Amino acid sequence: MAVVLGIPSVRPAPGRAPSTAGRPDTDALVDRFGRVARDLRISVTEKCSLRCTYCMPAEGLPAVAREDLLTPAEIGRLVRLAAQRFGVTDVRLTGGEPLVRPEIVQIVAACRAAAPGASLSMTTNAIGLDRKVGALLAAGLDRVNISLDSVDRAHFAELTRRDRLPAVLRGVRAALAAGLAPVKLNAVLMPETLRGARDLLAFAVAHGCHLRFIEQMPLDADQRWAREHMVTAETLLAELGRDFRLAPLQRDDPASPAEEWLVDDGPQTVGVIASVTRSFCGACDRTRLTAEGTVRACLFGDQETDLRALLRSGADDDALAAAWQVAMWAKPWAHGFDDGAPDPETFAPTLRSMGAIGG
Ligand code: SAM
Ligand code: SF4
């Protein structure tokens, strides 16, 4: 079982201590392969109102003690360091489900105060968004990405193990009504989601949302992912192409992980993020903080560095920055699970599943 919470693996790489040999003298979060992290993902909780089969176990994740979570003030301090010292420009709150964290509005406010010029967004399943969207916007949130895999109630309940589609749709409508356009909808691409894909795209087009399908990654707590069960972009396009005219769009940014198609001559688009079959590890500019305050340099690397302990032991900004920089210098090159020859040092089933890392 891949679900280990509570700072599972704060340890150096097997057999050797983290090294900074060759690291250039820069404040930025550089790694050994020349990548620079400017995009910070922060998980604010491991708890969730859904139990998506590709993410959580049916019983949910083991609870993290409240005192083990980073507080809004601690998150604010780390975001300030990231923005001011490392040049981070994008901050995204995730989880678990960020809206179930009682202090989510304070967390947004702390991030905004710490990084006034950064893009501040949230990835959410939208349950409860109708009640919180006003306060979140007032606190400084810029955007939401909403995860939605099906607009059929029974199908949604099957995929998420919860009959909560009406609550999700209330959240989507609230985001649109609050002027949060463009609302991006994310769906995980797998055999079970394929059959609802056409209705989902029709919903997105009707509501002016941008729909993107993300290839399923081996980060489900149940460890059922198998390469041979993956649905390809071609299969998805064939399915959608029965009802929609799809024209490929020129990519603005060749490094962007999303391939996009114009739907019925636009303006709506549908995208595929081929995170497995066309890995974008080479252009990865992410750094992650788990809910318990560890830096995770890569989704697929269980090596984590405990910033919470440093914060709570009274470390100054220089010590925090140095620990974060060392953690990112050790970032592995790539996930390596699509070419049949994963690097055994960096790829094994992860100790944390997606919901425990923060997607
Ligand atoms: N609960 C929020 C939500 O669902 O949007 C935020 C956390 S969730 C872990 C973040 C994103 O990760 C969601 O868009 C979800 O679909 C995606 N995700 C979860 N498990 C995944 C997997 N095994 N492969 C690909 N994406 C996954
Ligand atoms: Fe919860 Fe998001 Fe994981 Fe679904 S994908 S179980 S909503 S954390």
Side-chain angles (χ1 to χ4, degrees):
M1 176 66 75
V3 185
V4 179
L5 290 177
I7 311 192
S9 52
V10 185
R11 58 171 188 240
R16 55 187 159 80
S19 158
T20 52
R23 189 182 181 281
D25 182 19
T26 172
D27 279 337
L29 293 175
V30 293
D31 67 27
R32 293 165 295 157
F33 307 99
R35 297 168 296 187
V36 183
R38 305 258 186 232
D39 181 342
L40 169 59
R41 310 255 154 155
I42 306 173
S43 172
V44 297
T45 180
E46 84 298 348
K47 294 188 173 41
C48 189
S49 39
L50 298 179
R51 296 284 183 274
C52 303
T53 51
Y54 49 75
C55 177
M56 290 259 178
E59 66 280 12
L61 294 168
V64 175
R66 198 177 154 66
E67 62 273 19
D68 288 343
L69 295 174
L70 288 184
T71 65
E74 288 170 337
I75 292 174
R77 181 160 171 214
L78 293 176
V79 168
R80 188 178 311 277
L81 194 63
Q84 291 182 357
R85 185 150 328 183
F86 306 145
V88 161
T89 53
D90 290 84
V91 178
R92 174 172 294 276
L93 301 174
T94 180
E97 174 45 47
L99 293 176
V100 306
R101 176 89 190 249
E103 306 97 336
I104 187 62
V105 175
Q106 289 103 294
I107 291 173
V108 169
C111 292
R112 177 47 77 213
S119 155
L120 181 56
S121 57
M122 179 185 289
T123 302
T124 173
N125 64 27
I127 295 175
L129 189 58
D130 49 331
R131 281 178 274 112
K132 294 191 176 146
V133 69
L136 291 169
L137 286 182
L141 190 71
D142 293 320
R143 262 180 301 286
V144 287
N145 280 14
I146 295 178
S147 303
L148 178 61
D149 297 309
S150 175
V151 288
D152 176 86
R153 188 163 173 171
H155 189 209
F156 180 92
E158 204 181 293
L159 292 166
T160 65
R161 304 185 178 109
R162 295 287 185 274
D163 181 20
R164 303 297 306 276
L165 181 65
V168 172
L169 297 183
R170 279 199 299 279
V172 175
R173 291 195 189 95
L176 291 167
L180 270 175
V183 169
K184 288 188 181 164
L185 298 180
N186 292 337
V188 174
L189 184 55
M190 52 184 206
E192 294 88 333
T193 49
L194 192 59
R195 73 178 143 101
R198 282 188 279 165
D199 289 346
L200 191 56
L201 180 54
F203 174 89
V205 169
H207 290 81
C209 299
H210 290 191
L211 176 62
R212 295 174 320 167
F213 288 87
I214 303 169
E215 285 180 347
Q216 187 192 3
M217 293 184 274
L219 287 168
D220 55 315
D222 295 337
Q223 294 191 2
R224 298 239 174 88
W225 183 92
R227 178 68 183 80
E228 58 273 23
H229 296 151
M230 283 197 57
V231 176
T232 62
E234 287 66 32
T235 308
L236 174 72
L237 292 178
E239 176 69 18
L240 296 176
R242 294 196 216 165
D243 290 280
F244 303 93
R245 275 189 316 284
L246 302 173
L249 276 175
Q250 199 75 27
R251 285 185 190 206
D252 291 341
D253 173 5
S256 160
E259 268 191 284
E260 305 239 283
W261 290 265
L262 204 61
V263 180
D264 290 344
D265 304 322
Q268 297 312 329
T269 57
V270 62
V272 176
I273 301 186
S275 31
V276 176
T277 55
R278 242 169 274 152
S279 139
F280 40 90
C281 300
C284 180
D285 64 350
R286 291 181 187 167
T287 182
R288 296 171 186 277
L289 285 175
T290 64
E292 308 106 297
T294 60
V295 176
R296 199 170 164 106
C298 172
L299 269 177
F300 296 94
D302 278 317
Q303 227 179 298
E304 296 181 4
T305 298
D306 187 0
L307 294 188
R308 187 190 71 201
L310 276 175
L311 275 168
R312 294 184 185 176
S313 67
D316 63 12
D317 281 358
D318 288 343
L320 284 168
W324 201 332
Q325 287 161 339
V326 170
M328 292 306 294
W329 182 245
K331 178 171 170 138
W333 164 243
H335 56 51
F337 50 72
D338 191 49
D339 56 11
D343 173 352
E345 188 190 323
T346 56
F347 182 68
T350 55
L351 291 169
R352 290 179 186 261
S353 61
M354 189 66 126
I357 301 168

